[in-house]
Structure formats: structure tokens, C-alpha cells
Amino acid sequence: MQLNALVERFKKKDVSAFETLYGMYADNICGVIETIVRNEGRSQEICQDVFIKIWNNSESYNSSKGRFFTWILNIARNAAIDEVRSRSYKNQKKNLSADYFVGILASSEEDNSVVDTSGIRRMVKNLKEKCVQIIELLYFKGYTQKEAAEELEIPVGTVKTRNRSCISQLREDMETK
């Protein structure tokens, strides 16, 4: 079936057209959301919400403004970004420390896991404390650079400089492996 005809049926609230489009796009949309949110369960929930939203707002799709998939993708991306920016998401991330992630690596080795984590552990141990703080806030807890600056009581420019420096140090450590 032609996509344009399928989309027109969808816009007229044809349930079978919706099911077909869901089957075509759900995996890709959920994957994009998970890339942003980094939580599979929450990503699945947001994906479902996105498809409910497009169903409820199907008449707002205009093919002259772009492809149908792009329209869904933009809605999904915005929903994922909204989730990451939400207070509850940030509070959830604040409860995790770098020790949590190092603990995962340690238990993984004890379980004789196939994944070689010794290099990652060595890279984490080689970081300076200020790097661990910056990386923990920006990457593990989802802080913005401004929020990290406020938390550490340092200028935003310092956060940016330390972040670049720390990432460079991690890259160097990875290249020497």
C-alpha cells in the first residue's frame, strides 16, 4: 500500500492504518527515544505516549511541510527531551553516583562476565577528582553545564573547560589501550 494513502486513512482515524504505521515505525521511534532518555522502560512508555499523541493530533500532519516519519520523529524527540528536562528525571539521576557505576563494573568482573571492564575501571581511577565530579554531573546525572556550575559553585566557563579537558584525558586513555 502506498504510504500517502495509508497516512490519509490514518488522518481519518482508521485503526488498521494506525496499526500498520505503528508496526512500520515503532521500533525506530522507540530507539530514538531510548538514545536520548537512556532508560529502556521509560523509553517504551514515552513511545506509547507519542503514538497516542499522533493519533489524537493526526489532523495536524501536513504532507507539504515534511515526511510523515519526520513528523513523528520530531514529536518523539521533543517528548524525550521534555522527559530529560523534567524535574523527576533529574531527581532520579541525582540519586546515582559514580560509585554506583563503578560498583556495576566490580560486580561484573566478580560474575566472570564476558565484558572486559578492567580498562574502564582503570580509566575511571586515573581521572582527577574534579573530572569525576564534572563527568558525574553532566553525563550520569543529566545536569546542564549551568546547573553543574551552580552545584560546584564555579563559573560555567570553568565547567566547560574542565569537561573538554576530562573528555580529552579519557580519549587519550582509550587510545593508549
Side-chain angles (χ1 to χ4, degrees):
M1 177 178 288
Q2 235 184 10
L3 181 61
N4 292 338
L6 191 61
V7 170
E8 286 305 314
R9 286 183 34 221
F10 165 77
K11 288 174 70 172
K12 294 176 183 172
K13 303 294 186 189
D14 182 330
V15 174
S16 67
F18 174 79
E19 290 171 347
T20 302
L21 290 167
Y22 181 87
M24 290 170 60
Y25 297 127
D27 288 341
N28 291 328
I29 296 299
C30 288
V32 168
I33 294 169
E34 188 172 350
T35 300
I36 296 169
V37 176
R38 300 191 184 276
N39 177 316
E40 184 178 356
R42 189 63 190 123
S43 298
Q44 293 291 328
E45 292 174 20
I46 294 169
C47 186
Q48 294 299 315
D49 293 344
V50 165
F51 277 92
I52 290 169
K53 187 173 186 172
I54 67 166
W55 175 256
N56 291 334
N57 298 302
S58 60
E59 70 284 345
S60 68
Y61 170 68
N62 183 343
S63 61
S64 67
K65 292 184 179 180
R67 293 178 34 219
F68 185 72
F69 179 75
T70 306
W71 179 68
I72 299 173
L73 188 62
N74 285 330
I75 293 169
R77 183 180 166 277
N78 290 338
I81 290 170
D82 288 347
E83 172 68 16
V84 171
R85 289 179 177 165
S86 74
R87 183 177 306 265
S88 65
Y89 180 86
K90 287 182 180 177
N91 286 338
Q92 174 191 7
K93 291 296 183 185
K94 286 179 184 176
N95 293 332
L96 300 176
S97 70
D99 296 335
Y100 169 79
F101 296 99
V102 173
I104 290 172
L105 297 176
S107 67
S108 172
E109 185 176 296
E110 291 168 6
D111 295 340
N112 295 322
S113 176
V114 177
V115 178
D116 177 21
T117 59
S118 61
I120 296 171
R121 186 180 302 103
R122 187 169 49 249
M123 285 188 284
V124 170
K125 285 181 180 179
N126 288 339
L127 290 175
K128 296 176 185 173
E129 181 61 29
K130 65 182 181 181
C131 284
V132 172
Q133 289 176 335
I134 293 290
I135 289 173
E136 183 176 312
L137 292 176
L138 295 178
Y139 298 101
F140 293 136
K141 294 185 178 180
Y143 280 45
T144 64
Q145 291 176 339
K146 181 181 178 192
E147 292 168 335
E150 291 169 359
E151 179 76 18
L152 297 172
E153 298 177 351
I154 59 176
V156 175
T158 303
V159 169
K160 292 178 180 182
T161 301
R162 285 184 185 173
N163 184 37
R164 277 192 304 273
S165 172
C166 297
I167 296 301
S168 292
Q169 182 182 349
L170 281 173
R171 282 189 184 126
E172 289 173 18
D173 289 350
M174 288 177 67
E175 289 173 1
T176 59
K177 286 191 90 173

